[in-house]
Amino acid sequence: MPIDNDVYNRVGETWWDEDNPLNLLHGSLTPGRFAYFRDVLRQQVGRDFTGLRALDVGCGGGFLAEEFARVGFSVVGVDPSTVSLATAHSHAVAGGLDIGYRVGVGERLPVPDIAFDVVYCCDVLEHVSDLDAVVAEAARALKPGGVYLFDTINRTRVSKLVAIKIMQEWRLTRLFDTELHDWSMCIRPGELTGVLDRHGLRVREVVGLGPRSWNPLRVLDMARAAHGRLTWGEASRRFDFGRTRSTAISYMGYAVKA
């Protein structure tokens, strides 16, 4: 089925609004995944990130870009949605953060070769039409020895239930009345490792990313949020997304450029 990526233009003015379904990516997902990425980077490049350059591929409203900027990175965010970029820019300026945002797609990044110490791609790889090209471009932009950070949705029966059935198809719990994901485009860890390796990005670790609490009440929270009785940001915080043992729904990890 076709993915409706234009949704990011239709609702992109309110990425930071807790009532926007896209804020489900922020409530606990942003701090959960960034905590893991920060630990990885401390091991790989040290604790002082001042002056290091990071490229955010598919930056959306700037959730992760702002986290990287706050710890000292010089950040460039790239996204095809001009509405999302305008929102990201305005929010960064209001917060006193200097982040460079550029219109572009992962298959043709508007950045020079070997210019970044870190490239990260989150909530993006399962949306792209040419995964190989997106990874090749990331590798092109990354310096030798640089770190590539990623997360994406696995292609399993569990992920189909959660990401497709609950979050997309079931009327009581879905985020939007449109298709955000095509399960056939989700990527198994071994498949992604093969693509990364082909472009000189050696995977060092893959870990699970998902709810750290499987209380069945969280599904009820989804229904409440879908009907305006709970904000999506609060629903996200109650899920307590972060590093998990299981990669059955989503996973994250890092690779180093050879």
Side-chain angles (χ1 to χ4, degrees):
M1 65 179 70
I3 293 177
D4 183 12
N5 284 325
D6 193 56
V7 69
Y8 304 106
N9 282 320
R10 295 198 301 274
V11 301
E13 292 182 353
T14 56
W15 272 90
W16 293 86
D17 186 337
E18 290 225 333
D19 290 321
N20 185 336
L22 294 176
N23 206 267
L24 187 69
L25 300 175
H26 185 50
S28 62
L29 260 172
T30 295
R33 59 164 63 106
F34 184 71
Y36 169 72
F37 291 156
R38 185 180 56 229
D39 287 345
V40 167
L41 292 172
R42 284 173 174 170
Q43 295 172 11
Q44 295 298 312
V45 302
R47 291 184 173 270
D48 186 2
F49 305 135
T50 305
L52 297 180
R53 301 193 71 201
L55 175 63
D56 186 332
V57 181
C59 61
F63 293 155
L64 276 172
E66 294 201 4
E67 297 295 328
F68 277 82
R70 287 193 188 98
V71 297
F73 281 94
S74 174
V75 182
V76 172
V78 175
D79 200 277
S81 170
T82 55
V83 176
S84 294
L85 288 175
T87 299
H89 175 73
S90 296
H91 196 272
V93 170
L97 297 173
D98 183 15
I99 300 173
Y101 288 111
R102 304 177 188 178
V103 179
V105 295
E107 293 87 349
R108 296 183 304 280
L109 292 171
V111 299
D113 296 351
I114 54 175
F116 295 91
D117 303 280
V118 175
V119 176
Y120 59 95
C121 193
C122 300
D123 296 314
V124 171
L125 298 176
E126 69 274 15
H127 291 272
V128 302
S129 57
D130 191 340
L131 176 62
D132 194 80
V134 171
V135 172
E137 278 290 273
R140 176 185 65 80
L142 194 58
K143 296 177 181 178
V147 180
Y148 180 73
L149 304 165
F150 58 86
D151 72 46
T152 192
I153 300 174
N154 203 346
R155 194 172 70 256
T156 66
R157 291 180 180 179
V158 177
S159 72
K160 190 171 188 178
L161 172 64
V162 174
I164 305 300
K165 297 298 182 182
I166 294 176
M167 301 181 70
Q168 185 166 294
E169 294 182 356
W170 292 355
R171 186 171 297 275
L172 287 176
T173 55
R174 66 189 182 190
L175 278 71
F176 296 104
D177 293 332
T178 190
E179 282 71 36
L180 294 178
H181 297 105
D182 180 338
W183 185 72
S184 69
M185 295 174 67
C186 296
I187 310 159
R188 291 173 177 155
E191 296 168 347
L192 182 56
T193 296
V195 176
L196 292 170
D197 190 67
R198 190 157 59 244
H199 295 285
L201 301 175
R202 310 303 185 213
V203 174
R204 297 285 181 84
E205 184 176 54
V206 173
V207 301
L209 172 62
R212 288 178 285 202
S213 170
W214 271 112
N215 189 323
L217 291 177
R218 300 294 76 84
V219 177
L220 294 179
D221 287 338
M222 290 284 292
R224 293 176 65 198
H227 291 82
R229 295 192 291 272
L230 183 73
T231 68
W232 288 103
E234 177 59 25
S236 178
R237 286 187 288 275
R238 292 184 182 186
F239 268 107
D240 188 25
F241 290 105
R243 178 174 178 169
T244 61
R245 292 183 179 181
S246 173
T247 61
I249 301 175
S250 297
Y251 59 93
M252 57 186 173
Y254 76 100
V256 175
K257 184 174 178 179

